[in-house]
Amino acid sequence: MNLFRRTLVLRALALAAGGLLGACGTRHPLAPADDSAPQHDYLIGPGDSVNIIVWRNPEVSLTVAVRPDGKITTPLVEDLEASGKTSTQLARDIEQALSKFIQQPVVTVIVTNFSGPYGEQIRVIGEAAKPQALPYRLGMSLMDVLIAVGGITDFAAGNKASIIRLRDGSQQQLRVRLDDLLKNGDISANVMMRPGDVLLIPESFF
């Protein structure tokens, strides 16, 4: 194939790809920059550590890890479900379990080593420098996520990225503009993340 014909073929492919990507952009609405952060109480998840303090009972006060099955075990309480609960809810459940052995136990639970439930983690896949799952934090923005994963690669189609979000039982795909945010400093491209969001960063074809 001579140089002229090769150039024409490459231009045709570029136009076709541009049209396809443009169509995808039409199907997926742009994520709103002013979408406020949801009210959110931190829920305990597998991999978290919980410091259990039982007032006036140091022998049963300890720090334990939440197992992969979402449960914890303490000296007097076996296989208590912890995942998906707030620290206050877990403290009340431990009090109820300990009441068989201790009169009117008073329990405080402090969570450390945050991971959160799998269903609430932010997952970043595709052309991120360090694709990974992140624990959701109240007020977490798209910029916060990008900082945590080290930005995007040189091969990323940043302005074709999207957030896959489950809302009211239905899945939405919202387009985000990573190139505008990272390279041009366009703060209007920064959007609020929600628990369970998946950030998909595709590869650029050209």
Side-chain angles (χ1 to χ4, degrees):
M1 182 182 298
N2 60 40
L3 181 61
F4 177 73
R5 291 185 60 190
R6 183 178 181 182
T7 301
L8 288 178
V9 170
L10 289 175
R11 286 181 178 177
L13 288 172
L15 288 172
L20 179 60
L21 292 174
C24 292
T26 301
R27 285 199 301 269
H28 307 314
L30 192 66
D34 59 351
D35 195 13
S36 59
Q39 294 298 318
H40 182 267
D41 291 325
Y42 181 80
L43 301 180
I44 297 168
D48 287 353
S49 293
V50 291
N51 185 13
I52 302 169
I53 303 169
V54 186
W55 188 52
R56 292 184 176 178
N57 290 272
E59 66 279 2
V60 291
S61 300
L62 74 168
T63 298
V64 296
V66 182
R67 304 195 310 248
D69 63 358
K71 298 179 180 180
I72 60 171
T73 299
T74 71
L76 295 178
V77 182
E78 294 185 354
D79 295 339
L80 180 65
E81 188 69 42
S83 183
K85 298 177 181 177
T86 66
S87 58
T88 301
Q89 290 171 336
L90 180 58
R92 300 293 83 79
D93 289 347
I94 295 175
E95 287 175 350
Q96 184 177 359
L98 288 177
S99 63
K100 301 175 184 177
F101 312 99
I102 301 172
Q103 185 175 4
Q104 296 182 337
V106 178
V107 176
T108 300
V109 172
I110 301 173
V111 184
T112 60
N113 191 32
F114 300 93
S115 295
Y118 295 129
E120 292 204 346
Q121 292 177 359
I122 305 294
R123 291 175 172 81
V124 184
I125 57 178
E127 293 299 317
K130 296 180 292 183
Q132 59 184 291
L134 304 168
Y136 174 79
R137 288 174 170 79
L138 182 63
M140 177 179 277
S141 69
L142 179 61
M143 177 64 81
D144 296 325
V145 172
L146 293 173
I147 291 172
V149 300
I152 60 179
T153 70
D154 294 336
F155 306 102
N159 280 356
K160 301 299 180 183
S162 59
I163 293 173
I164 300 173
R165 175 175 295 168
L166 188 64
R167 177 179 287 180
D168 299 328
S170 62
Q171 181 175 292
Q172 297 178 329
Q173 189 163 357
L174 306 172
R175 187 166 56 85
V176 288
R177 299 177 288 122
L178 304 187
D179 286 336
D180 291 350
L181 178 61
L182 295 175
K183 299 178 181 179
N184 302 327
D186 185 354
I187 300 301
S188 68
N190 193 25
V191 301
M192 301 305 299
M193 303 298 290
R194 292 181 176 272
D197 278 354
V198 177
L199 176 60
L200 175 62
I201 308 174
E203 182 180 1
S204 176
F205 292 103
F206 298 98

